[in-house]
Amino acid sequence: MPETDAPRTRQQRMPIGVRREQVLDAALRLISQHGYASATMEAIAREADLAKPVVYKAYPGLGPLLQALLQREEERAFSTLSVAMLRPTDADPIGILLSWLDRLAHAVVDNPGPWRLILIPPDETPFVVREHVQAGREVALELLRSLIGEVVDRRTSPVPIDQELFAQVILAAAEHLGRLLLRDPDNYSPERLVAFAASMLNPLQLTPTDRGRQNEPTTGGHHP
C-alpha cells in the first residue's frame, strides 16, 4: 500500500478568538514572505498547523480572512499614532502633524511587516485588500484636511493655500517616505525624514503676528 501522511494529532479545543489569531498570524507570515498568491486557505492551515475545517470555522473564506487581517494590522499600526492626535484646542497644528509623522516613521521601523501590506502592496494584491487600504487612506486624508484647515484659519499671510491639494500632497509624501523607510532604513532614518518634513512645512508655520493674535485674550477690556 502507498505511504500516507501520518494522522494529524488531535488538536486541543481552544476559544474561537484564539484560533482566529493563529490563523491571522499564519496568513501574515505567508503574505510577508511569499506574497498574496501564497495565502490559500490550505496553505494557511498548514502554516498554522491546524486542520482545514478549523480554519474555515474561524473564517468562512479567504475574503473575510484578508479583511480581518487588514483590519487587525491597521489597528495595531495606527494605535501608536492616535496619541499624537489628542491635543488641546490651542495646540499648534503643524507641531501636531510633525509629531504624527514622527510616530508614523518609528512605527514603520519598529514593525515593518504590516506596513509592507499597506504601503507596498504587490501586483497580485486582491481587490478586497486594495479597497480596504483605500478606505484607510480616506480616513487619513480627512484628518489632514482638518489639520490644514486649522493652520489656514490661524494664518494672516495673504498667500493662498489650496487645502485639498495640500492634504493630498502631504499624504502622498508620507506614504513615499514610509516606503523609503521600508526599502532602505539605513539611509532613510525617521529623524532624517521628519527633519525634511519640518523644512517643507516651515512656510505654514505661524508668523509672530499670527502667534500674537492667537494668544490675544478672548474676553473684552483694556490692558495696562
Side-chain angles (χ1 to χ4, degrees):
M1 294 180 63
E3 293 184 3
T4 58
D5 293 336
R8 184 184 295 271
T9 303
R10 185 175 179 81
Q11 294 163 338
Q12 180 183 359
R13 281 187 175 275
M14 302 184 72
I16 189 64
V18 175
R19 290 300 190 203
R20 285 174 176 157
E21 288 299 304
Q22 290 178 322
V23 169
L24 295 183
D25 289 341
L28 179 59
R29 288 194 298 270
L30 283 174
I31 295 169
S32 297
Q33 296 171 13
H34 307 293
Y36 281 97
S38 67
T40 64
M41 296 296 278
E42 293 79 4
I44 292 170
R46 288 194 301 270
E47 179 69 21
D49 195 24
L50 296 172
K52 193 159 65 171
V54 175
V55 176
Y56 275 98
K57 184 177 180 181
Y59 295 100
L62 190 59
L65 190 156
L66 292 177
Q67 282 275 25
L69 176 62
L70 264 292
Q71 182 174 348
R72 187 189 75 169
E73 296 308 312
E74 282 185 353
E75 288 174 356
R76 289 179 174 180
F78 288 105
S79 64
T80 59
L81 307 179
S82 59
V83 176
M85 305 317 300
L86 300 176
R87 62 196 191 277
T89 56
D90 60 347
D92 174 18
I94 293 296
I96 295 296
L97 181 55
L98 290 174
S99 176
W100 182 81
L101 290 172
D102 180 71
R103 286 176 179 269
L104 173 62
H106 282 90
V108 170
V109 170
D110 293 341
N111 190 19
W115 291 100
R116 289 187 183 279
L117 303 183
I118 298 170
L119 296 175
I120 315 179
D123 293 338
E124 75 276 11
T125 300
F127 174 75
V128 66
V129 175
R130 294 184 182 276
E131 191 176 44
H132 192 99
V133 170
Q134 181 59 33
R137 292 184 79 256
E138 291 300 325
V139 172
L141 189 59
E142 185 59 34
L143 174 65
L144 289 171
R145 291 190 188 106
S146 174
L147 283 174
I148 292 171
E150 292 183 29
V151 173
V152 172
D153 289 344
R154 300 182 188 193
R155 295 175 78 243
T156 58
S157 171
V159 179
I161 295 176
D162 188 318
Q163 298 180 45
E164 176 62 26
L165 285 179
F166 204 86
Q168 295 275 1
V169 167
I170 290 179
L171 181 59
E175 291 176 337
H176 181 68
L177 295 180
R179 286 189 285 270
L180 290 177
L181 280 170
L182 290 168
R183 289 170 172 153
D184 192 1
D186 292 335
N187 192 32
Y188 299 100
S189 67
E191 293 73 20
R192 178 183 178 187
L193 299 187
V194 173
F196 170 77
S199 67
M200 295 297 292
L201 292 171
N202 185 61
L204 285 182
Q205 292 285 2
L206 297 178
T207 66
T209 302
D210 295 324
R211 293 192 184 95
R213 292 182 59 192
Q214 178 181 330
N215 294 329
E216 287 178 357
T218 56
T219 56
H222 296 282
H223 297 274

